[in-house]
Short mmCIF file of all heavy atoms in Angstrom, two decimals:
data_model
loop_
_atom_site.label_atom_id
_atom_site.label_comp_id
_atom_site.label_asym_id
_atom_site.label_seq_id
_atom_site.Cartn_x
_atom_site.Cartn_y
_atom_site.Cartn_z
N SER A 25 114.30 113.20 105.81
CA SER A 25 115.14 114.19 106.34
C SER A 25 114.99 115.60 105.76
O SER A 25 114.22 115.82 104.87
CB SER A 25 116.67 113.85 106.24
OG SER A 25 116.98 113.67 104.84
N ASN A 26 115.74 116.52 106.09
CA ASN A 26 115.85 117.95 105.60
C ASN A 26 114.49 118.67 106.07
O ASN A 26 113.96 119.46 105.26
CB ASN A 26 115.98 117.97 104.08
CG ASN A 26 116.60 119.28 103.64
OD1 ASN A 26 117.15 120.02 104.42
ND2 ASN A 26 116.43 119.52 102.39
N CYS A 27 113.95 118.38 107.15
CA CYS A 27 112.81 119.02 107.71
C CYS A 27 112.98 120.47 107.95
O CYS A 27 113.92 120.86 108.69
CB CYS A 27 112.26 118.28 109.01
SG CYS A 27 110.75 119.07 109.56
N PRO A 28 112.19 121.34 107.37
CA PRO A 28 112.31 122.77 107.54
C PRO A 28 111.63 123.25 108.80
O PRO A 28 111.86 124.49 109.21
CB PRO A 28 111.74 123.38 106.33
CG PRO A 28 110.54 122.37 106.01
CD PRO A 28 111.16 120.97 106.34
N CYS A 29 110.83 122.48 109.43
CA CYS A 29 110.03 122.93 110.57
C CYS A 29 110.81 123.29 111.86
O CYS A 29 110.67 124.22 112.47
CB CYS A 29 108.93 121.84 110.94
SG CYS A 29 107.88 121.77 109.57
N LYS A 30 111.93 122.42 112.09
CA LYS A 30 112.77 122.64 113.31
C LYS A 30 112.10 122.95 114.52
O LYS A 30 112.26 124.00 115.24
CB LYS A 30 113.84 123.72 113.00
CG LYS A 30 114.74 123.30 111.88
CD LYS A 30 115.67 124.37 111.39
CE LYS A 30 116.63 123.97 110.29
NZ LYS A 30 116.19 123.16 109.21
N CYS A 31 111.13 122.11 114.91
CA CYS A 31 110.28 122.28 116.15
C CYS A 31 111.17 122.19 117.38
O CYS A 31 111.94 121.24 117.49
CB CYS A 31 109.22 121.24 116.17
SG CYS A 31 108.02 121.29 114.78
N SER A 32 111.00 123.11 118.31
CA SER A 32 111.77 123.05 119.50
C SER A 32 111.22 121.79 120.32
O SER A 32 110.10 121.62 120.53
CB SER A 32 111.50 124.29 120.35
OG SER A 32 112.15 124.18 121.63
N GLY A 33 112.20 120.92 120.78
CA GLY A 33 111.84 119.76 121.55
C GLY A 33 111.52 118.55 120.67
O GLY A 33 111.00 117.50 121.15
N CYS A 34 111.69 118.67 119.39
CA CYS A 34 111.34 117.61 118.44
C CYS A 34 112.20 116.33 118.91
O CYS A 34 113.31 116.39 119.24
CB CYS A 34 111.82 117.95 117.01
SG CYS A 34 111.64 116.56 115.79
N HIS A 35 111.49 115.14 118.93
CA HIS A 35 112.11 113.88 119.27
C HIS A 35 112.95 113.33 118.12
O HIS A 35 113.73 112.34 118.43
CB HIS A 35 111.07 112.87 119.74
CG HIS A 35 110.15 112.47 118.73
ND1 HIS A 35 110.49 111.53 117.65
CD2 HIS A 35 108.88 112.75 118.60
CE1 HIS A 35 109.51 111.33 116.88
NE2 HIS A 35 108.40 112.15 117.41
N SER A 36 112.87 113.96 116.97
CA SER A 36 113.77 113.40 115.86
C SER A 36 114.48 114.67 115.17
O SER A 36 114.36 114.82 113.99
CB SER A 36 112.79 112.78 114.79
OG SER A 36 112.14 111.63 115.33
N SER A 37 115.24 115.32 116.07
CA SER A 37 115.76 116.62 115.56
C SER A 37 116.82 116.40 114.46
O SER A 37 117.10 117.17 113.66
CB SER A 37 116.39 117.37 116.74
OG SER A 37 117.39 116.67 117.43
N TYR A 38 117.38 115.11 114.45
CA TYR A 38 118.40 114.81 113.36
C TYR A 38 117.77 114.78 112.05
O TYR A 38 118.47 114.99 111.04
CB TYR A 38 118.92 113.43 113.68
CG TYR A 38 118.04 112.27 113.41
CD1 TYR A 38 118.06 111.48 112.24
CD2 TYR A 38 117.12 111.93 114.38
CE1 TYR A 38 117.22 110.39 112.00
CE2 TYR A 38 116.25 110.84 114.12
CZ TYR A 38 116.14 110.09 112.97
OH TYR A 38 115.39 109.05 112.66
N LEU A 39 116.47 114.73 111.90
CA LEU A 39 115.75 114.79 110.58
C LEU A 39 115.79 116.22 109.99
O LEU A 39 115.38 116.44 108.86
CB LEU A 39 114.34 114.23 110.69
CG LEU A 39 114.28 112.73 111.02
CD1 LEU A 39 112.85 112.32 111.11
CD2 LEU A 39 115.00 111.90 109.94
N SER A 40 116.20 117.23 110.79
CA SER A 40 116.35 118.51 110.24
C SER A 40 117.56 118.64 109.24
O SER A 40 117.71 119.60 108.54
CB SER A 40 116.36 119.63 111.27
OG SER A 40 117.51 119.50 112.06
N GLN A 41 118.44 117.72 109.45
CA GLN A 41 119.64 117.66 108.52
C GLN A 41 119.39 117.13 107.20
O GLN A 41 118.47 116.32 107.07
CB GLN A 41 120.76 116.88 109.24
CG GLN A 41 121.14 117.37 110.60
CD GLN A 41 122.06 116.46 111.33
OE1 GLN A 41 122.95 115.84 110.74
NE2 GLN A 41 121.81 116.15 112.54
N ASP A 42 120.19 117.46 106.25
CA ASP A 42 120.08 117.02 104.83
C ASP A 42 120.93 115.77 104.77
O ASP A 42 122.10 115.84 104.40
CB ASP A 42 120.58 118.05 103.84
CG ASP A 42 120.41 117.66 102.47
OD1 ASP A 42 119.76 116.62 102.17
OD2 ASP A 42 120.96 118.39 101.60
N ILE A 43 120.33 114.64 105.23
CA ILE A 43 121.12 113.42 105.35
C ILE A 43 120.24 112.23 104.71
O ILE A 43 119.09 112.43 104.40
CB ILE A 43 121.42 113.02 106.79
CG1 ILE A 43 120.04 112.91 107.67
CG2 ILE A 43 122.33 113.90 107.49
CD1 ILE A 43 120.12 112.39 109.05
N GLY A 44 120.95 111.16 104.43
CA GLY A 44 120.30 109.96 104.04
C GLY A 44 120.33 109.73 102.53
O GLY A 44 121.13 110.38 101.81
N GLU A 45 119.59 108.83 102.04
CA GLU A 45 119.44 108.33 100.77
C GLU A 45 118.26 108.97 100.07
O GLU A 45 117.20 109.10 100.63
CB GLU A 45 119.33 106.78 100.79
CG GLU A 45 119.35 106.18 99.45
CD GLU A 45 119.17 104.51 99.60
OE1 GLU A 45 119.56 103.96 100.71
OE2 GLU A 45 118.66 103.95 98.79
N ILE A 46 118.36 109.15 98.75
CA ILE A 46 117.27 109.73 97.99
C ILE A 46 116.07 108.64 98.02
O ILE A 46 116.29 107.51 97.72
CB ILE A 46 117.63 110.05 96.56
CG1 ILE A 46 118.61 111.17 96.58
CG2 ILE A 46 116.40 110.24 95.68
CD1 ILE A 46 119.20 111.55 95.18
N LEU A 47 114.78 109.15 98.28
CA LEU A 47 113.69 108.31 98.30
C LEU A 47 113.13 108.34 96.83
O LEU A 47 112.10 109.08 96.54
CB LEU A 47 112.69 108.82 99.28
CG LEU A 47 111.42 107.93 99.59
CD1 LEU A 47 111.87 106.52 99.86
CD2 LEU A 47 110.55 108.49 100.54
N SER A 48 113.58 107.56 95.95
CA SER A 48 113.16 107.35 94.62
C SER A 48 111.93 106.39 94.65
O SER A 48 111.77 105.63 95.60
CB SER A 48 114.15 106.93 93.72
OG SER A 48 114.67 105.66 94.08
N VAL A 49 111.27 106.25 93.52
CA VAL A 49 110.20 105.28 93.37
C VAL A 49 110.80 103.87 93.44
O VAL A 49 110.27 102.94 94.10
CB VAL A 49 109.48 105.54 92.04
CG1 VAL A 49 108.63 104.25 91.63
CG2 VAL A 49 108.52 106.75 92.08
N GLU A 50 112.02 103.68 92.83
CA GLU A 50 112.64 102.42 92.88
C GLU A 50 113.04 101.99 94.33
O GLU A 50 112.86 100.87 94.73
CB GLU A 50 113.99 102.43 92.05
CG GLU A 50 113.68 102.61 90.48
CD GLU A 50 113.33 104.08 90.16
OE1 GLU A 50 113.69 105.03 90.92
OE2 GLU A 50 112.81 104.32 89.11
N ARG A 51 113.57 103.00 95.11
CA ARG A 51 113.90 102.65 96.44
C ARG A 51 112.67 102.33 97.30
O ARG A 51 112.66 101.48 98.20
CB ARG A 51 114.70 103.75 97.10
CG ARG A 51 115.24 103.54 98.45
CD ARG A 51 116.14 102.34 98.38
NE ARG A 51 116.64 102.03 99.80
CZ ARG A 51 116.66 100.80 100.22
NH1 ARG A 51 116.28 99.75 99.56
NH2 ARG A 51 117.04 100.62 101.56
N LEU A 52 111.63 103.08 97.05
CA LEU A 52 110.30 103.01 97.74
C LEU A 52 109.81 101.50 97.52
O LEU A 52 109.42 100.89 98.43
CB LEU A 52 109.35 104.05 97.37
CG LEU A 52 108.02 104.01 98.06
CD1 LEU A 52 108.20 104.09 99.62
CD2 LEU A 52 107.15 105.20 97.59
N LYS A 53 109.92 101.09 96.26
CA LYS A 53 109.36 99.78 95.91
C LYS A 53 110.28 98.69 96.68
O LYS A 53 109.68 97.72 97.20
CB LYS A 53 109.59 99.47 94.39
CG LYS A 53 109.20 98.18 94.03
CD LYS A 53 109.21 98.00 92.52
CE LYS A 53 108.82 96.52 91.94
NZ LYS A 53 108.58 95.54 92.79
N GLU A 54 111.62 98.95 96.69
CA GLU A 54 112.37 97.93 97.47
C GLU A 54 111.98 97.95 98.97
O GLU A 54 111.94 96.90 99.50
CB GLU A 54 113.86 98.37 97.33
CG GLU A 54 114.51 98.14 95.91
CD GLU A 54 115.92 98.72 95.81
OE1 GLU A 54 116.42 99.26 96.94
OE2 GLU A 54 116.34 98.83 94.80
N LEU A 55 111.75 99.09 99.55
CA LEU A 55 111.47 99.08 100.88
C LEU A 55 110.16 98.46 101.23
O LEU A 55 109.99 97.62 102.16
CB LEU A 55 111.29 100.53 101.45
CG LEU A 55 112.63 101.30 101.60
CD1 LEU A 55 112.40 102.76 101.74
CD2 LEU A 55 113.56 100.74 102.59
N ILE A 56 109.12 98.65 100.43
CA ILE A 56 107.83 97.95 100.45
C ILE A 56 107.99 96.45 100.33
O ILE A 56 107.44 95.67 101.20
CB ILE A 56 106.76 98.52 99.57
CG1 ILE A 56 106.57 100.01 99.85
CG2 ILE A 56 105.53 97.76 99.48
CD1 ILE A 56 105.71 100.81 98.81
N ASP A 57 108.71 96.03 99.32
CA ASP A 57 108.71 94.62 98.94
C ASP A 57 109.50 93.79 100.01
O ASP A 57 109.15 92.59 100.18
CB ASP A 57 109.30 94.43 97.50
CG ASP A 57 108.41 94.95 96.43
OD1 ASP A 57 107.28 95.09 96.63
OD2 ASP A 57 108.98 95.02 95.32
N LYS A 58 110.47 94.48 100.66
CA LYS A 58 111.18 93.62 101.58
C LYS A 58 110.54 93.76 103.05
O LYS A 58 111.11 93.14 104.01
CB LYS A 58 112.60 94.20 101.67
CG LYS A 58 112.89 95.45 102.58
CD LYS A 58 114.37 95.72 102.66
CE LYS A 58 114.63 96.70 103.72
NZ LYS A 58 116.04 96.90 103.92
#
Side-chain angles (χ1 to χ4, degrees):
S25 62
N26 205 20
C27 179
C29 298
K30 298 178 179 34
C31 303
S32 177
C34 175
H35 64 74
S36 301
S37 60
Y38 71 100
L39 293 175
S40 66
Q41 300 170 45
D42 185 8
I43 57 174
E45 184 180 335
I46 291 174
L47 185 58
S48 64
V49 166
E50 295 79 18
R51 185 64 182 132
L52 184 55
K53 180 181 180 346
E54 290 173 8
L55 290 169
I56 293 170
D57 290 348
K58 82 174 194 177

